[in-house]
Amino acid sequence: MPIFGKISGGMDQNRCGRARLDPADDFPWRKSGSIAPYAAMTIYPAIDLKGGRCVRLTQGRADHETVYAEIPADVAAQYQAAGSKWVHVIDLDGAFAGEPQNGAAVQAIVALGLKVQLGGGLRTVAAVERALGMGVC
């Protein structure tokens, strides 16, 4: 039996075309009382950068942003203080422009000692090499 249950009878699929799990076949960790023997997961807190600040875009539109913090490294430090070893950083300006735009903010986050996943505008070997040179993992 697969770890997350068996697929219920025949062609039974949800509206997205995905097979449904049989509700009678419970998740194994619910039976054992612990998820530890079955799965491990790392949660990566995320920071979206636009104009050197932490933002969230509404429906992915660059002209509809909410600013959450002026100094991204301060947000990253809060994640670090909460126990995170990693942070996922997206350079939204870079994603729209095709070339990274928020290098100083990324460098300040890397300087904290966090491991950084970086996306946004990394479309050339040179851009990737610059990011790796800053200490991005």
Side-chain angles (χ1 to χ4, degrees), residues 46-57 62 65-76 79 87-97 99-110 116-121 134 136:
I47 296 174
D48 290 351
L49 301 173
K50 187 168 181 287
R53 303 174 299 175
C54 295
V55 303
R56 180 173 299 144
L57 301 183
E65 69 181 45
T66 302
V67 177
Y68 285 93
E70 294 291 328
I71 304 172
D74 290 349
V75 175
Y79 290 148
V87 66
H88 178 80
V89 178
I90 296 296
D91 182 343
L92 294 171
D93 296 313
F96 290 119
E99 181 72 19
Q101 303 292 309
N102 288 287
V106 173
Q107 284 179 324
I109 294 168
V110 169
V116 176
Q117 291 180 333
L118 179 64
M134 284 191 291
V136 170

